[in-house]
Amino acid sequence: VSLLLVSGVLKLYQGVYSENGQALPFNGGVYTAALNSLTKPKACICACFSIMSYIATCVMSASSGVLYFLGFLNVDSDEVYMASAIAVIIAVGLLYIWGISESATVALVIFCAHVTLLVTLVLSSAVRIIFFDDFELITAAFAQPLPYPWWQCILYGFASGMLGITGFETSCNYIEEQVSPP
């Protein structure tokens, strides 16, 4: 439900970003887009919020990834979790400083790794459910009570989805990096 809501919000903004991306040059990303429709102080505030969004996305992605990985290893230590999340953030920062942030090869490798991981996860889950579990795990999961009221669970899922999976705040930067056809 939360991801459907995120998809709906992104669909509402699709036309805005498409038209904005075709009509304006984006040397400077979100700041330039805001500067074309707002005053300089308000555009600066938008740029600051954009930077905060980048940082929040980085922290969310790193902490989620580390939490999943440590769960796979059966590690239940807050100290290890925090140190690992900080290490991932530092590693990504060092890679960015090193200069691979704009490398198409690195982006392709990361994309292929994600697709491979997701396909493996879906296939292994289907095999387990169909051949070994007989739907007992899914039945048990849906029988558990929600940790919060239903509306709060949807809100948390929506906020996490908008922050972690949309890449919404970087759309201007993607448009800026595209080469114009000859």
Side-chain angles (χ1 to χ4, degrees), residues 2 11 17 35 43 52 54 66-67 73 75 78 86 97-100 137 140 149 153-155 165 167 171:
S2 297
K11 186 65 176 170
Y17 265 96
L35 193 57
M52 288 171 46
Y54 294 153
V66 166
L67 187 64
L73 298 176
V75 176
D78 288 340
I86 290 170
I97 291 169
W98 186 35
I100 67 166
L137 184 62
C153 290
I154 292 174
L155 175 67
I165 65 169
S171 298

Side-chain angles (χ1 to χ4, degrees), residues 1-7 9 146-163:
V1 172
S2 297
L3 292 179
L4 285 174
L5 290 173
V6 169
S7 298
V9 168
L146 294 173
Y148 306 103
W150 66 268
W151 60 268
Q152 200 170 0
C153 290
I154 292 174
L155 175 67
Y156 289 159
F158 177 78
S160 178
M162 285 297 288
L163 181 62

Side-chain angles (χ1 to χ4, degrees), residues 54-64 85 89:
Y54 294 153
I55 293 169
T57 301
C58 176
V59 171
M60 178 75 174
S61 298
S63 64
S64 296
I89 293 169

Side-chain angles (χ1 to χ4, degrees), residues 122-136:
V122 168
L123 291 177
S124 63
S125 298
V127 167
R128 175 175 175 162
I129 289 170
I130 294 170
F131 295 112
F132 298 106
D133 199 23
D134 199 29
F135 297 95
E136 290 177 16

